[in-house]
Amino acid sequence: MPRSSARTVIPLFILAAHAALHAMLGIGGWLRPFELLSLLLLGANLVIALCLWKGSWDLPSGTCTMLLIAGHGLIGQRLAPDSLTSGAMLTVNILIVYVGVKIYEHLSRLHFAAFAGSYLILFYIFLTRMQNAEALFLLFLMGLAATARDFKLLTYFWAIVLSFTACQPYAWETTFSSFLILTALFSIRDSNWNPASVIFLVGGMALLLFVLLPVIVLMAGEDPRNVVAMLKSESVRDALRLTAVTATISTVILAAFCVPLAYALSRLDFKGKSLLLALADLPIIVPQSAAGLAILKVFGKQQYLGGIIFDAFGIRFDGSVFGICLAQIFVAMPFILKGSLAAFESVPVALEGAARTLGASSFSAFKRVALPLAMKGVVAAAILAWARAAGEFGAVLFVAPYPETAPIAVYNLFNSVGLVQTAPLVTTILLFSLAMFLALQILVKLAPGLTRREGSGA
Amino acid sequence: MTPHLHIGGVEASFGSFKVGPVRIETERGEYLALLGPTGCGKTSLLKCIAGLKIITAGSIRLAGQEISGLPPERRGVGLVAQTGDLFPHRNVRENLDFGLHYTRLNRTTRQARLEKHLVMFRIAPLAHRYPAGLSGGETKRVALARAMVLEPSLLLLDEPFGMLDHNGRLEMAELLRMILRELGTTVIHVTHDRHEAWSLARRCAIMNQGRIVQCGQVADVFRRPADVFTAQFLGCENVFEASFTEQTARCGEARFALGYKPPFRSGFVAIRPERIAVAAHGQPHLISGRLIELQDAGDNLKACFDCGALKLTARLPLELAPRLTLNACFNLTWLADAVHAIKPQGDEGANS
């Protein structure tokens, strides 16, 4: 049969078959003449006939659709709760058939198998787990039709489906986290990867999740109203403010001394340098309580050096903001020093040499070449140091338990009222720290001059 | 007339590697090629002149002023490193402006100077690009412009043609000639490639193991290498031990005329391979040998002849190819000035 005549004959045939079917159903008493379902069927048939006639659809899809319509007509009449749902199902199923035919024609067999398999599994899930959730099922089917052309999209689609069917009532959380993981996995797949590193990644992530679980559970489980109440409390706000201010002061002091020191260490080579670097790690090795005691022993008001400073400047360290800063500086120092050192070491010395031959003094070469190029790493190190300073508990507890910083406040509250009542405060502090940390990171990303740096020259 | 740049007895040490003592003098506006194999101390010597390395002995005088005690920023010496060393956080324009910042020129002069050099070095279209996005040739041009925008009286170039393709080299050579012609800058051009040096410099210095082994007019150094290393480094493949009597050199059985009387009894002879010719049958010849190897080197034929005790390598014109059959015997000849007598190794006396 020539193609052109087929285009005319088949639509006419469809319409004729439709009319005949209706007549038969009508005569049999299964269908009333102007029922909604009947009108829907007629509309669908008209659309298909038109499509076939215009040549934008073809024989297999037309045939499938006809069968589908016939089947649905019968099912709708006998099973479906109401004709509206039945009509919607029909429409979506026509979409599915259309997409299926297109996938079969244009994409690989694997795509088609994935599509058909997905449909069957969805249908199975619908039958077994989604009673009276036709609307959701139809939504899923539309999603399937939209995503089936691409395996990546299909995977995301299934992550949603499984989250919303198997993981209730944590559907949104599951969707969010599975999207994160899938995105990571897909970007790994698109980059250079090898089995060893992927296995190591999965293993490492497992431990990381296990460790971070308490924090996540605590934050997810807390009622936001409690957090708001906490933030309104004067004492909590004082503690948070004190923590932020002391950590910032400590970081500024650290940056003023340790960044130039890191530059010096990266450019100089001298005997005893490795010893100095090892000593710089001391605050990491020493238990914080011991560090606190040591600070108290030297800088306490009754002690020798602390006494001299108190007499000369009227500054006392024990039980004061200065003491808090001192303890924070002590514990945060290795982070900013080592981070900045790595940053400066990544800046080629030759660039400073070039700057010198162009007329820059060594100070100017530091300011205009080494520091801007290392700035990204230096700022990252400073943020880390800030976070370390803000979170310091042990050393601060010994040197200056009052005024209360946030970590001390948690400890004191826990001692007086116990675990359950402390949880909102802990959540508040966690959220506060996280917010500050993220804010600093974003600030650095947005700051001009820091992001402009590209990799090595051509 | 005192030389513009005078380097006298300069010594420096880099760990176990020693440079010097080095002595070089150049006139104002002179283009000197500093030739030597990789690792001979060329780059180190440049760093000493620029002030990036401290010298342990000797003096460096630029325009009559002793500069060896000055920090690099006060020497007024331009240095273009092999990789360009552009500042990755500054675009091309800002790279050029870096040094102008220190010149205390007023704003308009500075702008004018910058624009002039952007155009002169053909980098105006790149002005707002960052170094990471530049090609090798562009990087080199920007680095050169960045040094020249300060108008130094001495420019040090470390392998300016390194990592450039053929077109990049031509372009760079043109820029360097312009610097030489229009700006009158004294240039020291460090390279390991003799053809590169020949194309630009009139004078050259040969460096080996931290020392200058020969310094002179390019043609002189090429025709009359001072030692075996220089001869071989400049592409002379025929260097043989020889003894000299009057104007004759004697290597084993073979004897050749030298055209002059060397001031030593024994040493080496160097025979330029491109001066060796195949003599027609029956014509007078100096030596005969069996062709043992033939290789088409593109613009010449590299032919190795087994002449008894000597293995001679000749660079022959391509037209000879049909006549050359392996294992056949050929008569070889050359003019007396193709042969140069070299003093024995370890004898420091005969260098002019």
Side-chain angles (χ1 to χ4, degrees):
Chain A
M1 186 158 49
R3 190 104 180 110
S4 54
S5 57
R7 280 218 186 123
T8 332
V9 172
I10 291 168
L12 286 175
F13 171 75
I14 289 172
L15 290 181
H18 178 86
L21 190 66
H22 259 261
M24 268 157 52
L25 292 172
I27 291 163
W30 284 303
L31 206 62
R32 287 178 300 282
F34 294 107
E35 202 188 344
L36 184 63
L37 175 65
S38 169
L39 288 174
L40 272 172
L41 280 172
L42 182 63
N45 271 345
L46 272 173
V47 169
I48 292 156
L50 208 63
C51 283
L52 279 175
W53 190 44
K54 284 285 169 198
S56 60
W57 226 358
D58 47 19
L59 200 56
S61 49
T63 316
C64 288
T65 315
M66 272 311 291
L67 289 172
L68 201 67
I69 289 165
H72 267 269
L74 293 170
I75 294 167
Q77 205 53 32
R78 294 277 151 250
L79 298 176
D82 62 283
S83 43
L84 195 63
T85 312
S86 183
M89 283 220 176
L90 174 62
T91 318
V92 171
N93 273 334
I94 290 172
L95 180 70
I96 289 289
V97 167
Y98 177 71
V99 170
V101 170
K102 287 293 158 194
I103 287 177
Y104 186 80
E105 279 176 353
H106 296 293
L107 299 175
S108 69
R109 289 291 156 88
L110 202 60
H111 278 92
F112 185 73
F115 175 72
S118 296
Y119 181 82
L120 291 177
I121 296 168
L122 262 185
F123 197 67
Y124 174 76
I125 292 174
F126 172 62
L127 290 181
T128 53
R129 303 189 62 114
M130 292 168 62
Q131 257 72 46
N132 305 320
E134 284 88 355
L136 190 60
F137 176 62
L138 290 179
L139 209 62
F140 283 165
L141 283 186
M142 305 245 276
L144 176 65
T147 56
R149 68 191 161 81
D150 184 70
F151 287 125
K152 208 159 150 180
L153 284 174
L154 194 63
T155 320
Y156 281 114
F157 165 73
W158 271 107
I160 299 177
V161 171
L162 292 177
S163 304
F164 277 85
T165 53
C167 302
Q168 290 290 7
Y170 299 109
W172 286 108
E173 287 88 337
T174 323
T175 309
F176 182 68
S177 44
S178 59
F179 266 43
L180 282 184
I181 293 169
L182 282 177
T183 309
L185 286 178
F186 281 129
S187 55
I188 287 173
R189 192 194 63 169
D190 294 342
S191 68
N192 278 330
W193 64 277
N194 55 53
S197 50
V198 171
I199 289 167
F200 296 159
L201 176 78
V202 172
M205 285 302 290
L207 180 72
L208 217 61
L209 277 180
F210 184 74
V211 173
L212 292 178
L213 196 64
V215 179
I216 295 166
V217 167
L218 198 72
M219 286 204 290
E222 193 56 51
D223 190 338
R225 277 168 298 185
N226 291 346
V227 175
V228 173
M230 273 291 155
L231 281 174
K232 279 183 178 156
S233 142
E234 198 61 41
S235 65
V236 171
R237 266 156 66 175
D238 279 348
L240 289 178
R241 194 182 305 123
L242 182 67
T243 311
V245 168
T246 50
T248 307
I249 294 172
S250 303
T251 310
V252 168
I253 294 174
L254 278 170
F257 286 91
C258 288
V259 173
L261 176 63
Y263 172 75
L265 289 173
S266 75
R267 292 300 181 257
L268 296 176
D269 213 4
F270 53 89
K271 288 209 166 64
K273 181 175 156 182
S274 49
L275 184 70
L276 188 67
L277 286 174
L279 277 178
D281 278 337
L282 208 61
I284 296 178
I285 302 156
V286 173
Q288 260 86 61
S289 51
L293 274 173
I295 292 170
L296 211 56
K297 181 88 176 59
V298 175
F299 290 106
K301 194 160 87 81
Q302 276 78 38
Q303 307 301 328
Y304 180 67
L305 194 56
I308 291 176
I309 293 173
F310 184 72
D311 291 341
F313 305 104
I315 291 171
R316 51 179 293 177
F317 289 101
D318 47 328
S320 79
V321 176
F322 300 109
I324 296 172
C325 287
L326 196 61
Q328 287 177 344
I329 287 171
F330 180 83
V331 294
M333 191 266 290
F335 292 87
I336 192 162
L337 184 64
K338 288 297 169 73
S340 309
L341 183 60
F344 281 119
E345 271 169 354
S346 73
V347 178
V349 189
L351 292 181
E352 284 160 68
R356 298 296 300 277
T357 63
L358 294 170
S361 67
S362 53
F363 287 100
S364 192
F366 168 74
K367 199 186 93 191
R368 296 180 76 205
V369 177
L371 192 58
L373 288 175
M375 196 44 113
K376 219 171 169 178
V378 168
V379 170
I383 291 176
L384 213 59
W386 185 91
R388 183 71 192 84
E392 175 52 22
F393 167 68
V396 175
L397 183 71
F398 278 84
V399 178
Y402 192 86
E404 260 182 358
T405 61
I408 308 275
V410 171
Y411 178 71
N412 288 344
L413 193 64
F414 174 70
N415 271 351
S416 57
V417 294
L419 180 62
V420 179
Q421 276 87 345
T422 320
L425 177 62
V426 173
T427 309
T428 310
I429 289 173
L430 277 174
L431 286 174
F432 173 76
S433 313
L434 208 64
M436 287 299 285
F437 197 68
L438 286 178
L440 285 174
Q441 299 273 17
I442 290 167
L443 211 67
V444 171
K445 284 264 157 61
L446 294 180
L450 290 177
T451 46
R452 218 165 51 177
R453 186 189 166 190
E454 301 300 321
S456 59
Chain B
M1 186 178 151
T2 55
H4 183 233
L5 173 72
H6 170 91
I7 300 169
V10 161
E11 283 178 47
S13 70
F14 301 83
S16 59
F17 179 67
K18 298 264 188 300
V19 170
V22 171
R23 186 190 138 85
I24 296 176
E25 288 182 352
T26 62
E27 302 299 335
R28 178 175 287 277
E30 190 175 29
Y31 198 109
L32 177 83
L34 184 58
L35 265 166
T38 309
C40 73
K42 302 174 302 229
T43 304
S44 305
L45 182 60
L46 285 196
K47 284 185 175 172
C48 291
I49 301 171
L52 298 176
K53 294 278 180 194
I54 295 163
I55 58 171
T56 50
S59 77
I60 303 171
R61 282 205 299 278
L62 185 63
Q65 192 201 356
E66 178 67 42
I67 61 167
S68 61
L70 297 177
E73 64 267 24
R74 290 177 52 206
R75 292 194 180 195
V77 174
L79 172 67
V80 179
Q82 194 170 2
T83 50
D85 283 344
L86 297 182
F87 305 125
H89 59 304
R90 298 174 148 253
N91 66 23
V92 168
R93 193 190 179 81
E94 291 162 343
N95 260 284
L96 259 64
D97 198 41
F98 186 92
L100 289 174
H101 176 84
Y102 302 101
T103 52
R104 306 209 183 131
L105 293 171
N106 69 41
R107 210 180 151 74
T108 38
T109 324
R110 227 168 104 171
Q111 285 289 332
R113 179 102 68 96
L114 210 151
E115 295 302 333
K116 184 183 130 196
H117 281 79
L118 280 174
V119 173
M120 205 193 314
F121 290 87
R122 293 179 214 139
I123 48 176
L126 313 172
H128 297 287
R129 298 248 296 269
Y130 281 84
L134 299 180
S135 74
E138 289 165 346
T139 305
K140 284 278 171 77
R141 287 214 300 282
V142 174
L144 188 60
R146 188 179 66 173
M148 287 309 295
V149 78
L150 299 174
E151 299 177 353
S153 65
L154 172 65
L155 178 66
L156 308 174
L157 300 170
D158 193 357
E159 301 274 3
F161 292 166
M163 303 189 304
L164 292 187
D165 61 9
H166 184 68
N167 288 339
R169 277 161 197 248
L170 291 181
E171 203 166 8
M172 183 53 90
E174 202 181 315
L175 285 178
L176 293 177
R177 280 196 199 97
M178 177 200 74
I179 290 173
L180 194 63
R181 195 175 58 233
E182 289 173 18
L183 305 175
T185 315
T186 311
V187 180
I188 298 185
H189 174 145
V190 155
T191 177
H192 62 269
D193 182 346
R194 60 179 188 277
H195 302 295
E196 191 183 311
W198 291 179
S199 70
L200 287 156
R202 300 259 302 280
R203 266 182 84 220
C204 75
I206 311 288
M207 198 167 181
N208 188 30
Q209 293 177 339
R211 287 157 176 267
I212 302 287
V213 289
Q214 194 174 6
C215 185
Q217 298 294 313
V218 162
D220 276 354
V221 173
F222 187 66
R223 297 210 182 94
R224 288 186 281 282
D227 63 1
V228 174
F229 163 79
T230 308
Q232 283 167 345
F233 184 69
L234 297 181
C236 187
E237 286 139 320
N238 307 310
V239 179
F240 308 110
E241 246 177 291
S243 58
F244 307 103
T245 43
E246 289 300 307
Q247 297 198 355
T248 309
R250 185 177 164 167
C251 316
E253 298 297 295
R255 286 159 187 275
F256 343 106
L258 270 172
Y260 64 96
K261 182 178 181 297
F264 31 79
R265 302 291 310 235
S266 67
F268 298 87
V269 283
I271 307 166
R272 291 300 314 176
E274 57 278 341
R275 306 286 304 274
I276 298 176
V278 175
H281 201 68
Q283 292 287 313
H285 60 273
L286 291 167
I287 202 165
S288 64
R290 190 165 58 87
L291 180 63
I292 50 173
E293 200 187 316
L294 188 65
Q295 187 192 337
D296 192 333
D299 57 353
N300 65 57
L301 292 169
K302 182 186 175 191
C304 297
F305 295 93
D306 181 358
C307 313
L310 306 180
K311 298 258 184 306
L312 273 178
T313 301
R315 299 283 179 168
L316 300 171
L318 293 173
E319 303 85 75
L320 276 179
R323 281 179 55 197
L324 295 173
T325 39
L326 274 178
N327 293 318
C329 273
F330 293 90
N331 294 333
L332 303 174
T333 183
W334 54 82
L335 296 176
D337 63 352
V339 186
H340 173 64
I342 297 173
K343 65 180 169 15
Q345 266 163 333
D347 178 4
E348 298 292 327
N351 195 0
S352 51

